[in-house]
Amino acid sequence: MNYDSSMSGTLKRRLALAVVAGVGATLIVSAGPAAAGGVPHIRGGETVPVYSYENAVRESVWVQTPLDNDEDGVPDKVAVDIVRPRETADRRLKVPVILEGSPYYSCCGRGNESERKQYDANGTIVKQPLYYDNYFVPRGYAFVAADLAGTGRSTGCMDVGGREEVLSAKAVVDWLNGRAKATYADGTPAVATGWTNGRTGMIGKSWDGSVANGVAATGVEGLETIVPISAISSWYDYQRYNGVLRVEDYPEYLFSYVNGRPASACAATVSRLDEGSDDATGDYNAYWAERNFRPDARKVHASVFIAHGLNDTNVTTDQFAQWWARLGVPKKMWLSQAGHVDPFDLRRADWVDTLHRWFDRYLQGLRNGIDREPAVSIETTPGNWVNERSWPAARATSQRITLGNGDGTTGTLGGGSGRAVRTWTDAPDLDEATAVASPATAVPGRAAFLSAPLTQEVRVSGTPSVTLRVRVDKPTTELTARLVDYGTATRVNYLARGEGITTLPTESCWGAATAADDACYRDTAPSLVTADHAILTRGWKDAAHHVSLRFTTPLRPDRWYTVTVPMQATDQRLAAGHVLGLILQASDNEYSTPQSTGATIDLDLRGSSLTLPLVGRLPKPGAVAPAVTTAPVPRTFAPPRFDPLVP
């Protein structure tokens, strides 16, 4: 890959010490003279690997939570597996903690290789998934992996983003700070304050990162930083698209996917998931409000380091964008062109180095300057990253673009509409590849609008939306909008099974090793495709929710309504000579479960427009849209509405 800066001397030294490609062990090299203040793992403003990983303390405790949602009369307990340096305990040095709370440790595994926790015959943890313990424990951190309530070895019942889930992870932070009780397997008390200073950082991808967001939103004392990767900030927006149902019975499915308890223990919880999520209406209600962390962003005092794929069709991009916009704390963000992919599998050396420096700054208190560097790193084209001070782009302006009539079949972006009306009937079997291909031809079930060929590069940075003035012959219809870049380019192939990466047979190692845990992971390479068009972003809305997401307002067939369809946040550059397209449909059978009413939609172009956060401007449109022809680009894996919240 090409990066916008050369490899630092610090990073080169770390790679020389910590990475042995293709070998199942990693060397620990002496760090030199004792550090000032008697802290052996701090040298020259950074933590260094001086402690034995093989000889680390490995133990399990059960932390008591404040809830009893399995209703057995006993407070629910969270199983917590710990790896911490023995030498710091012997010297009575207290270390900070890196915590990952996950429902995946037993059922499904973590990371690109789906690693699970492993125990010896005595029940002692011998392998933690991922490299966090291998890399950070020798550097003076403890790593703590908590089975969320109702999963793994924990009691309670998983409530899929709800209070039980969040408070079970919060209880671990409380225990680390002496505010909650825990016991060992034999029932004797377990106390953490003898070996940790309580300074905790949470990390995790997907569901795990979502938990980190939720715990941070409680404002819990002792949580100093979080690193949410491809994470949820509103579970409503994960399972609903502005009133559009993503998939039926999804909370119950996610529960069953990770559940570690007997069915009888959690029947009441499953019933509450079914009733509260309210598939019948798609309304935002108290159930979803409990699972929306964004209003409590003001309570967050932990620093936040976000990583997300701009083409993530599982945890879509509004999850990071709306969270980022509300945070008033030190924050940093990486945005890649991939889908639901961990940056460890995209930009491995830079990611580990940056994560190391981030934790050193906010958990060890080392003034290493990372908080003064540009806050945002964005992949603009495959393998090319740029650093910026803020996001969205500082020069992006909100521009309203009219929908012109064009030739009466294909409209224009910009230009006059006259009294033109576009009419189409919902075609629930119209797939995305067909809908966006060949925009200059008539396709039943869609309406297409094209810009003139770009005279210079433009950048879409932020959250687009389309406002539609519609008349519908049914009480409601779903509305779908897609923004498309028409023009040949090599792009990250996020629609392939690896969502932008290909896993290679070689390995690299990222930390110290034991016989049971070698810290070595399969290398990856970018998965690229050269195509004549690509979808930049998508948006959906149930038209009956045009007044509020909290209730439906059925449409009357004799009235015109203004419905705004927000699209997912994005940051994309369109090259000179390319054409920007807007494709409108009704229901979408790939990214949602269509609740098709068979509606016929009239679209009044005079009252409709596209709003784009643009750096640059679209060229003045011609009288008709340019003649753009394309070939369909079919996806190569299962539609994302059927995927679980994958690890």
Short mmCIF file of all heavy atoms in Angstrom, two decimals, residues 321-361:
data_model
loop_
_atom_site.label_atom_id
_atom_site.label_comp_id
_atom_site.label_asym_id
_atom_site.label_seq_id
_atom_site.Cartn_x
_atom_site.Cartn_y
_atom_site.Cartn_z
N ALA A 321 -20.92 8.38 11.80
CA ALA A 321 -21.03 9.80 11.50
C ALA A 321 -21.83 10.55 12.55
O ALA A 321 -21.43 11.64 13.00
CB ALA A 321 -21.65 9.99 10.12
N GLN A 322 -22.95 9.98 12.97
CA GLN A 322 -23.77 10.68 13.96
C GLN A 322 -23.15 10.63 15.35
O GLN A 322 -23.33 11.55 16.16
CB GLN A 322 -25.18 10.09 13.96
CG GLN A 322 -25.92 10.35 12.65
CD GLN A 322 -27.41 10.28 12.81
OE1 GLN A 322 -27.98 10.70 13.83
NE2 GLN A 322 -28.08 9.77 11.80
N TRP A 323 -22.43 9.58 15.66
CA TRP A 323 -21.71 9.49 16.94
C TRP A 323 -20.57 10.50 16.97
O TRP A 323 -20.41 11.26 17.93
CB TRP A 323 -21.21 8.05 17.09
CG TRP A 323 -20.61 7.65 18.40
CD1 TRP A 323 -19.39 7.05 18.57
CD2 TRP A 323 -21.18 7.72 19.71
NE1 TRP A 323 -19.17 6.75 19.89
CE2 TRP A 323 -20.26 7.16 20.61
CE3 TRP A 323 -22.38 8.22 20.20
CZ2 TRP A 323 -20.50 7.08 21.99
CZ3 TRP A 323 -22.62 8.14 21.57
CH2 TRP A 323 -21.69 7.57 22.44
N TRP A 324 -19.78 10.52 15.91
CA TRP A 324 -18.64 11.44 15.79
C TRP A 324 -19.10 12.89 15.95
O TRP A 324 -18.47 13.67 16.67
CB TRP A 324 -17.98 11.22 14.44
CG TRP A 324 -16.91 12.19 14.06
CD1 TRP A 324 -17.05 13.31 13.29
CD2 TRP A 324 -15.51 12.13 14.38
NE1 TRP A 324 -15.83 13.95 13.12
CE2 TRP A 324 -14.89 13.24 13.78
CE3 TRP A 324 -14.74 11.23 15.11
CZ2 TRP A 324 -13.51 13.47 13.90
CZ3 TRP A 324 -13.37 11.47 15.24
CH2 TRP A 324 -12.79 12.58 14.63
N ALA A 325 -20.19 13.25 15.30
CA ALA A 325 -20.66 14.64 15.33
C ALA A 325 -21.07 15.09 16.72
O ALA A 325 -20.99 16.28 17.03
CB ALA A 325 -21.83 14.81 14.36
N ARG A 326 -21.48 14.15 17.58
CA ARG A 326 -21.98 14.52 18.90
C ARG A 326 -20.90 14.51 19.98
O ARG A 326 -21.14 15.01 21.08
CB ARG A 326 -23.11 13.57 19.31
CG ARG A 326 -24.40 13.76 18.54
CD ARG A 326 -25.35 12.59 18.76
NE ARG A 326 -26.71 12.83 18.26
CZ ARG A 326 -27.06 12.75 16.99
NH1 ARG A 326 -26.16 12.45 16.08
NH2 ARG A 326 -28.31 12.99 16.62
N LEU A 327 -19.77 13.93 19.71
CA LEU A 327 -18.75 13.76 20.74
C LEU A 327 -18.00 15.07 20.98
O LEU A 327 -17.52 15.72 20.03
CB LEU A 327 -17.76 12.67 20.33
CG LEU A 327 -18.32 11.25 20.28
CD1 LEU A 327 -17.32 10.31 19.62
CD2 LEU A 327 -18.67 10.76 21.69
N GLY A 328 -17.86 15.42 22.25
CA GLY A 328 -17.12 16.62 22.61
C GLY A 328 -15.86 16.31 23.38
O GLY A 328 -15.49 17.05 24.30
N VAL A 329 -15.20 15.23 23.03
CA VAL A 329 -14.00 14.75 23.73
C VAL A 329 -12.86 14.63 22.71
O VAL A 329 -13.09 14.72 21.51
CB VAL A 329 -14.27 13.38 24.39
CG1 VAL A 329 -15.33 13.50 25.48
CG2 VAL A 329 -14.70 12.34 23.35
N PRO A 330 -11.63 14.43 23.18
CA PRO A 330 -10.55 14.14 22.22
C PRO A 330 -10.93 12.93 21.37
O PRO A 330 -11.36 11.89 21.90
CB PRO A 330 -9.35 13.84 23.11
CG PRO A 330 -9.63 14.57 24.38
CD PRO A 330 -11.12 14.50 24.57
N LYS A 331 -10.80 13.06 20.05
CA LYS A 331 -11.26 11.98 19.18
C LYS A 331 -10.38 11.88 17.94
O LYS A 331 -9.76 12.86 17.52
CB LYS A 331 -12.72 12.19 18.80
CG LYS A 331 -13.02 13.51 18.10
CD LYS A 331 -14.53 13.70 17.90
CE LYS A 331 -14.83 15.02 17.20
NZ LYS A 331 -16.28 15.22 16.98
N LYS A 332 -10.39 10.68 17.39
CA LYS A 332 -9.60 10.37 16.21
C LYS A 332 -10.40 9.38 15.38
O LYS A 332 -11.24 8.65 15.91
CB LYS A 332 -8.26 9.77 16.63
CG LYS A 332 -7.24 9.56 15.51
CD LYS A 332 -5.91 9.09 16.08
CE LYS A 332 -4.86 8.92 14.98
NZ LYS A 332 -4.52 10.21 14.36
N MET A 333 -10.14 9.33 14.05
CA MET A 333 -10.94 8.45 13.21
C MET A 333 -10.15 8.01 11.98
O MET A 333 -9.44 8.79 11.37
CB MET A 333 -12.23 9.15 12.78
CG MET A 333 -13.17 8.29 11.97
SD MET A 333 -14.87 8.95 11.97
CE MET A 333 -14.63 10.53 11.13
N TRP A 334 -10.31 6.72 11.65
CA TRP A 334 -9.83 6.15 10.39
C TRP A 334 -11.04 5.72 9.57
O TRP A 334 -11.92 4.99 10.06
CB TRP A 334 -8.96 4.92 10.66
CG TRP A 334 -7.54 5.20 11.00
CD1 TRP A 334 -7.02 6.32 11.58
CD2 TRP A 334 -6.44 4.30 10.82
NE1 TRP A 334 -5.67 6.19 11.76
CE2 TRP A 334 -5.28 4.95 11.30
CE3 TRP A 334 -6.33 3.01 10.31
CZ2 TRP A 334 -4.03 4.37 11.29
CZ3 TRP A 334 -5.07 2.42 10.28
CH2 TRP A 334 -3.93 3.10 10.76
N LEU A 335 -11.07 6.13 8.30
CA LEU A 335 -12.13 5.75 7.37
C LEU A 335 -11.50 5.09 6.16
O LEU A 335 -10.75 5.72 5.42
CB LEU A 335 -12.94 6.98 6.94
CG LEU A 335 -13.66 7.76 8.05
CD1 LEU A 335 -14.32 9.00 7.49
CD2 LEU A 335 -14.69 6.87 8.75
N SER A 336 -11.82 3.81 5.96
CA SER A 336 -11.26 3.06 4.82
C SER A 336 -12.32 2.94 3.73
O SER A 336 -13.49 3.24 3.92
CB SER A 336 -10.82 1.67 5.27
OG SER A 336 -11.95 0.82 5.41
N GLN A 337 -11.90 2.44 2.57
CA GLN A 337 -12.82 2.17 1.47
C GLN A 337 -13.39 0.76 1.53
O GLN A 337 -14.14 0.36 0.64
CB GLN A 337 -12.10 2.38 0.13
CG GLN A 337 -11.80 3.82 -0.19
CD GLN A 337 -13.04 4.64 -0.46
OE1 GLN A 337 -14.04 4.12 -0.95
NE2 GLN A 337 -13.01 5.91 -0.11
N ALA A 338 -13.06 0.01 2.56
CA ALA A 338 -13.53 -1.37 2.68
C ALA A 338 -14.93 -1.42 3.29
O ALA A 338 -15.54 -0.38 3.58
CB ALA A 338 -12.55 -2.18 3.53
N GLY A 339 -15.41 -2.66 3.48
CA GLY A 339 -16.68 -2.86 4.15
C GLY A 339 -16.47 -3.07 5.64
O GLY A 339 -15.80 -2.28 6.31
N HIS A 340 -17.00 -4.19 6.15
CA HIS A 340 -16.99 -4.48 7.59
C HIS A 340 -15.67 -5.18 7.92
O HIS A 340 -15.64 -6.39 8.18
CB HIS A 340 -18.20 -5.37 7.91
CG HIS A 340 -18.60 -5.39 9.33
ND1 HIS A 340 -19.05 -4.29 10.02
CD2 HIS A 340 -18.63 -6.42 10.23
CE1 HIS A 340 -19.36 -4.63 11.25
NE2 HIS A 340 -19.10 -5.91 11.42
N VAL A 341 -14.57 -4.42 7.91
CA VAL A 341 -13.23 -4.98 8.02
C VAL A 341 -12.45 -4.24 9.10
O VAL A 341 -12.47 -3.00 9.17
CB VAL A 341 -12.48 -4.88 6.67
CG1 VAL A 341 -11.06 -5.43 6.79
CG2 VAL A 341 -13.24 -5.62 5.57
N ASP A 342 -11.74 -5.00 9.93
CA ASP A 342 -10.89 -4.43 10.97
C ASP A 342 -9.66 -3.79 10.32
O ASP A 342 -9.06 -4.37 9.41
CB ASP A 342 -10.44 -5.57 11.91
CG ASP A 342 -9.84 -5.07 13.21
OD1 ASP A 342 -8.90 -4.24 13.15
OD2 ASP A 342 -10.26 -5.54 14.28
N PRO A 343 -9.26 -2.60 10.77
CA PRO A 343 -8.06 -1.97 10.18
C PRO A 343 -6.80 -2.80 10.36
O PRO A 343 -5.82 -2.61 9.64
CB PRO A 343 -7.97 -0.62 10.89
CG PRO A 343 -8.84 -0.75 12.10
CD PRO A 343 -9.91 -1.72 11.74
N PHE A 344 -6.79 -3.73 11.33
CA PHE A 344 -5.66 -4.64 11.48
C PHE A 344 -5.46 -5.46 10.20
O PHE A 344 -4.35 -5.87 9.89
CB PHE A 344 -5.91 -5.57 12.67
CG PHE A 344 -4.82 -6.57 12.93
CD1 PHE A 344 -3.62 -6.16 13.51
CD2 PHE A 344 -4.98 -7.91 12.62
CE1 PHE A 344 -2.61 -7.08 13.76
CE2 PHE A 344 -3.98 -8.83 12.87
CZ PHE A 344 -2.78 -8.42 13.44
N ASP A 345 -6.54 -5.66 9.44
CA ASP A 345 -6.46 -6.43 8.21
C ASP A 345 -6.41 -5.55 6.97
O ASP A 345 -6.53 -6.04 5.84
CB ASP A 345 -7.65 -7.39 8.12
CG ASP A 345 -7.61 -8.44 9.21
OD1 ASP A 345 -6.53 -9.02 9.42
OD2 ASP A 345 -8.65 -8.67 9.87
N LEU A 346 -6.21 -4.25 7.18
CA LEU A 346 -6.13 -3.31 6.07
C LEU A 346 -4.77 -2.62 6.00
O LEU A 346 -4.20 -2.46 4.92
CB LEU A 346 -7.21 -2.23 6.21
CG LEU A 346 -8.66 -2.66 6.04
CD1 LEU A 346 -9.57 -1.52 6.46
CD2 LEU A 346 -8.93 -3.04 4.60
N ARG A 347 -4.28 -2.22 7.15
CA ARG A 347 -3.13 -1.31 7.22
C ARG A 347 -2.39 -1.66 8.51
O ARG A 347 -2.24 -0.86 9.41
CB ARG A 347 -3.67 0.13 7.25
CG ARG A 347 -2.72 1.25 6.96
CD ARG A 347 -3.47 2.56 7.12
NE ARG A 347 -2.63 3.72 6.90
CZ ARG A 347 -2.97 4.96 7.23
NH1 ARG A 347 -4.14 5.19 7.78
NH2 ARG A 347 -2.15 5.97 7.01
N ARG A 348 -1.95 -2.91 8.58
CA ARG A 348 -1.63 -3.56 9.85
C ARG A 348 -0.55 -2.85 10.65
O ARG A 348 -0.72 -2.57 11.84
CB ARG A 348 -1.25 -5.02 9.58
CG ARG A 348 -1.10 -5.86 10.81
CD ARG A 348 -1.07 -7.34 10.45
NE ARG A 348 -2.36 -7.82 9.96
CZ ARG A 348 -2.59 -9.09 9.63
NH1 ARG A 348 -1.62 -10.00 9.72
NH2 ARG A 348 -3.79 -9.46 9.22
N ALA A 349 0.58 -2.58 10.04
CA ALA A 349 1.69 -1.98 10.79
C ALA A 349 1.32 -0.61 11.33
O ALA A 349 1.56 -0.29 12.51
CB ALA A 349 2.93 -1.89 9.92
N ASP A 350 0.72 0.23 10.49
CA ASP A 350 0.32 1.57 10.93
C ASP A 350 -0.76 1.50 12.00
O ASP A 350 -0.79 2.31 12.93
CB ASP A 350 -0.17 2.39 9.74
CG ASP A 350 0.97 3.05 8.98
OD1 ASP A 350 2.12 2.90 9.40
OD2 ASP A 350 0.69 3.71 7.96
N TRP A 351 -1.68 0.54 11.86
CA TRP A 351 -2.76 0.43 12.84
C TRP A 351 -2.21 0.06 14.21
O TRP A 351 -2.55 0.69 15.22
CB TRP A 351 -3.80 -0.60 12.39
CG TRP A 351 -4.84 -0.87 13.45
CD1 TRP A 351 -4.98 -1.99 14.19
CD2 TRP A 351 -5.86 0.03 13.91
NE1 TRP A 351 -6.03 -1.88 15.08
CE2 TRP A 351 -6.59 -0.64 14.93
CE3 TRP A 351 -6.23 1.33 13.55
CZ2 TRP A 351 -7.66 -0.04 15.57
CZ3 TRP A 351 -7.31 1.91 14.21
CH2 TRP A 351 -8.01 1.24 15.20
N VAL A 352 -1.37 -0.96 14.28
CA VAL A 352 -0.84 -1.39 15.57
C VAL A 352 -0.01 -0.27 16.20
O VAL A 352 -0.10 -0.01 17.41
CB VAL A 352 -0.01 -2.68 15.42
CG1 VAL A 352 0.66 -3.05 16.74
CG2 VAL A 352 -0.89 -3.83 14.95
N ASP A 353 0.77 0.41 15.39
CA ASP A 353 1.58 1.52 15.91
C ASP A 353 0.69 2.64 16.45
O ASP A 353 0.93 3.17 17.55
CB ASP A 353 2.47 2.07 14.80
CG ASP A 353 3.31 3.24 15.26
OD1 ASP A 353 4.17 3.05 16.14
OD2 ASP A 353 3.08 4.36 14.76
N THR A 354 -0.36 2.99 15.70
CA THR A 354 -1.25 4.08 16.13
C THR A 354 -2.03 3.69 17.37
O THR A 354 -2.20 4.48 18.30
CB THR A 354 -2.19 4.47 14.99
OG1 THR A 354 -1.43 4.79 13.82
CG2 THR A 354 -3.05 5.67 15.37
N LEU A 355 -2.53 2.45 17.39
CA LEU A 355 -3.26 1.97 18.56
C LEU A 355 -2.37 1.97 19.80
O LEU A 355 -2.81 2.36 20.90
CB LEU A 355 -3.80 0.57 18.28
CG LEU A 355 -4.74 -0.04 19.32
CD1 LEU A 355 -6.01 0.78 19.45
CD2 LEU A 355 -5.06 -1.48 18.95
N HIS A 356 -1.12 1.54 19.63
CA HIS A 356 -0.15 1.54 20.73
C HIS A 356 0.03 2.96 21.28
O HIS A 356 -0.04 3.20 22.49
CB HIS A 356 1.17 0.97 20.22
CG HIS A 356 2.25 0.89 21.24
ND1 HIS A 356 3.50 0.42 20.94
CD2 HIS A 356 2.30 1.23 22.55
CE1 HIS A 356 4.26 0.47 22.03
NE2 HIS A 356 3.55 0.97 23.00
N ARG A 357 0.24 3.90 20.40
CA ARG A 357 0.45 5.28 20.83
C ARG A 357 -0.81 5.85 21.48
O ARG A 357 -0.74 6.63 22.44
CB ARG A 357 0.87 6.14 19.64
CG ARG A 357 2.23 5.72 19.05
CD ARG A 357 2.59 6.54 17.82
NE ARG A 357 2.76 7.94 18.18
CZ ARG A 357 2.21 8.96 17.52
NH1 ARG A 357 1.43 8.73 16.47
NH2 ARG A 357 2.42 10.19 17.90
N TRP A 358 -1.99 5.47 20.95
CA TRP A 358 -3.25 5.96 21.53
C TRP A 358 -3.42 5.46 22.95
O TRP A 358 -3.73 6.23 23.87
CB TRP A 358 -4.42 5.50 20.65
CG TRP A 358 -5.75 6.03 21.07
CD1 TRP A 358 -6.68 5.41 21.84
CD2 TRP A 358 -6.29 7.32 20.75
NE1 TRP A 358 -7.79 6.21 22.01
CE2 TRP A 358 -7.58 7.40 21.35
CE3 TRP A 358 -5.84 8.41 20.01
CZ2 TRP A 358 -8.39 8.52 21.24
CZ3 TRP A 358 -6.66 9.52 19.89
CH2 TRP A 358 -7.91 9.58 20.50
N PHE A 359 -3.22 4.16 23.17
CA PHE A 359 -3.34 3.63 24.53
C PHE A 359 -2.25 4.18 25.45
O PHE A 359 -2.51 4.45 26.63
CB PHE A 359 -3.30 2.11 24.50
CG PHE A 359 -4.59 1.46 24.07
CD1 PHE A 359 -4.57 0.26 23.37
CD2 PHE A 359 -5.82 2.04 24.36
CE1 PHE A 359 -5.76 -0.34 22.97
CE2 PHE A 359 -7.01 1.43 23.97
CZ PHE A 359 -6.97 0.25 23.27
N ASP A 360 -1.04 4.34 24.93
CA ASP A 360 0.01 4.95 25.75
C ASP A 360 -0.38 6.34 26.21
O ASP A 360 -0.13 6.74 27.35
CB ASP A 360 1.32 5.03 24.95
CG ASP A 360 2.14 3.76 25.01
OD1 ASP A 360 1.69 2.77 25.64
OD2 ASP A 360 3.25 3.75 24.44
N ARG A 361 -1.03 7.10 25.32
CA ARG A 361 -1.41 8.47 25.67
C ARG A 361 -2.54 8.48 26.71
O ARG A 361 -2.47 9.21 27.72
CB ARG A 361 -1.86 9.22 24.41
CG ARG A 361 -2.48 10.59 24.67
CD ARG A 361 -1.46 11.57 25.24
NE ARG A 361 -2.07 12.84 25.58
CZ ARG A 361 -2.64 13.11 26.75
NH1 ARG A 361 -2.68 12.18 27.71
NH2 ARG A 361 -3.15 14.30 26.98
#
